[in-house]
């Protein structure tokens, strides 16, 4: 119980702290925020349940008025903005990513990459696109068009989540909460 | 400060601990009841494992361990008034954003209401001339101040025995002497785990731990010179090339 | 911790947090029922008027919080100019701005501790599902406590990297940062257990 609680609380803090890191610009010029990578890692490292709870706790802190979303955003206003669908999708994305890592027999890096793709791209977009369509009064294809510029960055994050989870598993072979 | 719980001390019977299949502590049979006890050893001697064992954070692989007749790993509730632990790194011990919350937490764990616990925390701060600390952020305290807070948070719960893990690590000289003075004045039984023989000169009893066994057990004037001589000879002859097995 | 609560005291700071949140929910629901630009513009003016008691610094803070909306505003303006549907664009933009501004107003006028109290009250029914309000409050406190610790840790890791590499660490910082968080979490679990655990 204490371990679950401290893992959840510290990973919620990690997501927040990764939002303070200046945006990482890859060689191709695609900017990516470390924060959404942190959300994927919560799932692949902590597993479905604890990963999703860490993300929920993070969102709770944002909602009560701490400026922890990347770019120093926070408060209730972000839940009334066009990106609200993505915020709602975050914990579910972490849950799906964690579930795939827990259930898959594939090597941990591949499983984490797959989890990040299904959770952090497919699942997240399934919430993000309708949210944006609703808030901006657009059709689903129109909303999908608006977020396509983010797709390449998100695919790079999928690969990074796989790589990072793989090296974590190598450094702590019997330690990764998601694979116990 | 309220009087500590009457305590008969630790009793270890044939205790062994294995971590990841590797023996770390081997067949320890000990009775620890003196007011000031030092556990001395090199890095890797098993002293941190012994501390975590005494603290009830891990259970022995074989043998039994009790404090006042109670298994510290089993009955955490009973340990709250019997056993306090001062961790080496204050950043791992401080759990709350503000000083008042940190001090009040232990009392709430012991069953006091939030209001009573916070009032007690403020009273202690005022008594120590630190009333202005109550709402201060724990992250802004200096290293020595964080050590003070950690020890005070433990003392709030008035345990009869306190385990200290390298209590002087990372403190500057004034902070070290302040802590020495503060520890000396405590009515509690103190068990200090360290690699530094100098900090144990005032102890009643010293256990020298090596490779998971007690190499020597006695008063400081017997154990400390032998330990220092052994460390000097190791540093002279051994270039530390062997990898841990 | 620097919350978004405004240091400028307004009459709204003294209203109960639960009441403000309920009013916000009703207001947001109504915004989505309105579909005339005039009505939505009036709603936005009303929200703007509520900022007046705080004076200029308060209003400036509020405008600052609206800044993340400008890319969406730009997209909407271009889109609706292109489709020649100015009325539709005005409805969406006014509604969005009013909803976000109203939510921000509640955030700016409610202290963090009051919000946490409301959260604990709202979460009370979860006790039956195995989440006592005290555990939730403890989790919130732990997270806030470890924000500066982890932030500092990240800086140290980046410095250690830069001490031995001419390049910026970029994403490579994430592996040691996650590892450090896992290790810290284990230590915190022990510290928590040492002081009576979560029970």
């Amino acid at each position: 119980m204490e371990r679950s609680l401290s893992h959840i609380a510290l990973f919620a803090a990690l997501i927040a702290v990764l939002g303070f890191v200046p945006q990482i610009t890859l060689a191709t010029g695609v900017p990516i925020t470390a924060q959404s990578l942190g959300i994927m890692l919560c799932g692949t490292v902590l597993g479905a349940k604890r990963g999703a709870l860490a993300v929920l706790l993070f969102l709770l802190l944002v909602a009560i008025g701490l400026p922890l979303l990347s770019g120093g955003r926070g408060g209730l206003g972000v839940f009334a903005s066009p990106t609200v669908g993505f915020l709602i999708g975050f914990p579910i994305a972490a849950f799906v990513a964690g579930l795939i890592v827990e259930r898959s027999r594939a090597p941990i890096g591949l499983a984490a990459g797959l989890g990040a793709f299904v959770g952090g791209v497919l699942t997240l977009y399934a919430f993000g696109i309708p949210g944006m369509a609703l808030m901006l009064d657009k059709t689903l294809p129109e909303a999908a068009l608006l977020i396509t510029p983010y797709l390449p960055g998100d695919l790079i994050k999928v690969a990074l989540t796989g790589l990072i989870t793989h090296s974590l598993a190598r450094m702590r072979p019997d330690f990764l909460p998601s694979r116990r | 400060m309220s009087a500590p719980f009457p305590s008969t001390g630790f009793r270890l019977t044939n205790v062994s601990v294995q971590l990841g299949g590797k023996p770390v502590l081997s067949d320890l049979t000990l009775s620890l009841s003196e007011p000031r006890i030092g556990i001395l050893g090199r890095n890797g001697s098993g002293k941190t494992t012994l501390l975590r064992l005494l603290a009830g954070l891990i259970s022995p692989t074989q043998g039994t361990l009790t404090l006042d007749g109670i298994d510290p790993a089993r009955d955490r509730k009973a340990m709250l008034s019997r056993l306090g632990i001062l961790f080496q790194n204050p950043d791992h011990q401080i759990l709350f954003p503000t000083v008042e919350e940190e001090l009040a937490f232990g009392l709430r764990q012991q069953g006091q209401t939030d209001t009573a616990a916070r009032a007690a925390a403020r009273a202690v701060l005022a008594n120590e001339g630190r009333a202005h600390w109550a709402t201060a952020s724990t992250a802004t305290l200096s290293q020595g101040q964080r050590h003070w807070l950690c020890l005070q948070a433990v003392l709030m719960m008035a345990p009869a025995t306190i385990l200290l893990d390298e209590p002087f690590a990372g403190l500057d000289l004034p902070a070290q002497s302040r802590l020495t003075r503060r520890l000396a004045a405590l009515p509690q039984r103190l068990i200090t785990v360290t690699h530094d023989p100098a900090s144990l000169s005032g102890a009643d009893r010293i256990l020298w731990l090596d490779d998971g066994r007690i190499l020597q057990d006695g008063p400081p004037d017997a154990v400390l010179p032998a330990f220092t001589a052994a460390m000097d000879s190791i540093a002279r002859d051994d270039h530390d090339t062997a990898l841990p097995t | 911790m620097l919350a978004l609560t405004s240091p400028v005291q307004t009459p709204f700071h003294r209203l109960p947090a639960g009441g403000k949140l309920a009013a916000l929910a009703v207001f947001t629901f109504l915004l989505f029922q309105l579909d005339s630009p005039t009505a939505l513009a009036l709603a936005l003016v009303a929200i703007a008027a509520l900022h007046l008691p705080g004076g200029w610094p308060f209003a400036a803070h509020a405008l600052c919080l609206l800044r993340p909306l400008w890319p969406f505003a730009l997209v909407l303006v271009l889109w609706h100019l292109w489709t020649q549907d100015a009325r539709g664009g005005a409805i969406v933009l006014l509604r969005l701005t009013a909803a976000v501004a109203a939510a921000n107003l509640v955030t700016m006028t409610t202290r963090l501790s009051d919000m946490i109290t409301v959260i604990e009250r709202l979460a009370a029914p979860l006790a039956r599902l195995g989440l006592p309000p005290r555990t939730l409050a403890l989790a919130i406190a732990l997270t806030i406590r470890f924000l500066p610790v982890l932030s500092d840790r990240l800086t140290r890791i980046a410095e250690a990297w830069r001490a031995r590499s001419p390049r910026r660490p970029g994403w490579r910082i994430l592996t040691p940062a996650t590892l450090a968080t896992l290790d810290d979490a284990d230590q915190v679990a022990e510290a928590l257990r040492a002081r009576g655990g979560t029970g």
Side-chain angles (χ1 to χ4, degrees):
Chain A
M1 183 65 190
E2 288 89 14
R3 266 192 109 223
S4 294
L5 181 73
S6 70
H7 274 120
I8 290 165
L10 265 70
F11 271 77
L14 180 67
I15 302 173
V17 167
L18 290 179
F20 308 153
V21 176
Q23 283 191 349
I24 298 164
T25 307
L26 295 157
T28 55
V30 185
I32 64 173
T33 68
Q35 191 155 60
S36 47
L37 249 170
I39 283 165
M40 295 297 92
L41 284 170
C42 274
T44 62
V45 172
L46 295 185
K49 198 173 151 205
R50 280 183 284 184
L53 286 173
V55 179
L56 271 177
L57 182 57
F58 165 72
L59 290 178
L60 190 65
L61 289 172
V62 170
I64 62 178
L66 295 177
L68 302 179
L69 278 176
S70 58
R73 291 170 301 140
L76 292 164
V78 298
F79 293 90
S81 87
T83 48
V84 60
F86 289 94
L87 298 182
I88 294 170
F90 276 162
I92 299 151
F95 186 88
V96 170
L99 200 67
I100 288 173
V101 173
E102 283 169 15
R103 297 290 162 85
S104 161
R105 298 253 182 87
I108 178 93
L110 275 180
L114 180 70
F117 179 69
V118 178
V121 178
L122 299 185
T123 312
L124 189 60
Y125 283 23
F127 285 87
I129 292 171
M132 195 167 282
L134 181 74
M135 299 303 284
L136 296 181
D137 197 22
K138 297 283 164 285
T139 65
L140 287 178
E142 286 167 348
L145 185 69
L146 285 176
I147 61 153
T148 37
Y150 293 93
L151 188 60
D154 283 342
L155 292 178
I156 291 168
K157 284 180 217 174
V158 166
L160 289 179
T161 306
L163 275 174
I164 293 166
T165 312
H166 170 76
S167 38
L168 287 172
R170 256 192 17 206
M171 283 188 259
R172 291 285 188 282
D174 42 42
F175 194 85
L176 222 53
S178 63
R179 272 282 171 107
R180 257 199 310 240
Chain B
M1 195 177 310
S2 53
F5 219 82
S7 167
T8 54
F10 282 104
R11 189 167 289 279
L12 288 78
T13 317
N14 304 113
V15 167
S16 297
V17 174
Q18 296 184 355
L19 295 177
K22 242 178 67 181
V24 183
L25 294 174
S26 312
D27 199 28
L28 300 180
T29 298
L30 290 168
S31 171
L32 303 174
S33 57
E34 293 78 3
R36 295 286 183 268
I37 298 172
I39 295 172
L40 192 58
R42 301 179 60 194
N43 298 334
S45 61
K47 60 183 195 306
T48 304
T49 305
L50 180 56
L51 177 100
R52 297 176 70 232
L53 184 77
L54 295 176
L57 298 172
I58 54 174
S59 292
T61 317
Q62 277 130 37
T64 56
L65 165 86
T66 59
L67 172 61
D68 304 341
I70 304 164
D71 178 353
R74 278 275 179 78
D75 193 348
R76 298 303 305 169
K77 273 259 148 20
M79 282 306 118
L80 289 184
S81 56
R82 289 187 164 83
L83 187 61
I85 306 156
L86 193 68
F87 291 86
Q88 184 177 344
N89 185 347
D91 274 338
H92 290 145
Q93 181 166 351
I94 298 176
L95 302 173
F96 289 87
T98 65
V99 172
E100 182 182 304
E101 287 173 282
E102 178 68 19
L103 291 175
F105 176 67
L107 296 177
R108 287 200 64 187
Q109 294 288 85
Q110 288 178 322
Q112 295 196 18
T113 64
D114 190 38
T115 324
R118 280 172 185 264
R122 281 194 300 272
V124 163
L125 286 171
N127 205 21
E128 298 267 340
R130 289 171 166 84
H132 55 297
W133 283 28
T135 56
S137 157
T138 49
T140 60
L141 300 180
S142 75
Q143 183 76 359
Q145 289 169 337
R146 269 181 268 182
H147 262 78
W148 182 92
L149 177 62
C150 287
L151 180 56
Q152 193 57 52
V154 169
L155 291 175
M156 293 291 285
M157 301 171 79
T161 304
I162 300 177
L163 300 171
L164 308 155
D165 186 8
E166 300 285 3
F168 298 100
L171 291 181
D172 63 12
L173 289 173
Q176 284 189 22
S177 24
R178 273 196 289 266
L179 183 61
T180 309
R181 232 181 320 132
R182 192 151 174 247
L183 291 176
L186 292 179
Q188 272 89 356
R189 174 185 300 122
L190 301 182
I191 302 184
T192 307
V193 169
T194 181
H195 65 266
D196 174 22
S199 62
L200 293 178
S201 50
D204 301 302
R205 175 182 175 191
I206 291 175
L207 301 138
W208 174 2
L209 196 67
D210 189 74
D211 204 16
R213 291 165 207 281
I214 303 292
L215 206 63
Q216 205 177 349
D217 181 354
D221 45 357
V223 181
L224 294 183
F227 180 81
T228 311
M231 294 305 114
D232 285 346
S233 119
I234 289 170
R236 219 173 23 243
D237 304 335
D238 170 4
H239 295 280
D240 202 15
T241 53
L243 288 170
T245 47
Chain C
M1 184 67 220
L2 194 66
L4 293 169
T5 315
S6 171
V8 181
Q9 289 294 317
T10 68
F12 303 114
H13 280 76
R14 287 193 292 274
L15 296 177
K20 279 183 281 192
L21 287 170
L24 175 65
V26 171
F27 179 76
T28 310
F29 176 77
L30 289 177
L31 277 182
F32 277 83
Q33 304 303 306
L34 297 175
D35 56 359
S36 106
T38 327
L40 285 164
L42 283 175
L44 184 58
V45 168
I47 283 293
L50 289 180
H51 288 74
L52 292 178
W56 172 241
F58 185 76
H61 184 188
L63 283 175
C64 212
L65 288 179
L66 282 178
R67 233 175 6 200
L69 281 183
W70 79 262
F72 297 105
L74 189 69
V75 165
L76 282 171
V77 167
L78 292 177
W79 186 296
H80 288 268
L81 282 178
W82 183 54
T83 58
Q84 298 188 328
D85 174 24
R87 187 173 183 275
I91 288 175
V92 176
L93 194 56
L94 287 169
R95 178 191 290 151
L96 192 64
T97 314
V100 174
N104 285 339
L105 183 62
V106 174
T107 296
M108 286 171 68
T109 58
T110 311
R111 282 184 313 158
L112 193 60
S113 52
D114 294 340
M115 281 285 190
I116 292 177
T117 312
V118 173
I119 295 284
E120 282 185 63
R121 212 174 329 135
L122 287 177
L126 295 177
R128 264 174 288 167
L129 297 174
L131 181 73
R134 259 204 78 196
T135 308
L136 182 64
L138 179 60
I140 293 175
L142 263 182
T143 310
I144 295 176
R145 151 74 186 136
F146 274 87
L147 287 172
V149 176
L150 290 184
S151 175
D152 192 52
R153 182 69 54 88
L154 230 60
T155 313
R156 297 280 160 275
I157 294 170
E159 281 170 0
W161 174 279
R162 288 228 290 277
R164 289 190 286 164
S165 165
R167 288 185 302 151
R168 279 165 29 101
W171 66 272
R172 291 174 198 82
I173 202 175
L174 285 166
T175 306
T178 312
L179 203 61
T181 310
L182 278 172
D183 290 345
D184 278 359
D186 277 346
Q187 305 273 359
V188 169
E190 294 206 330
L192 208 50
R193 221 169 120 67
R195 285 200 278 162
T198 55

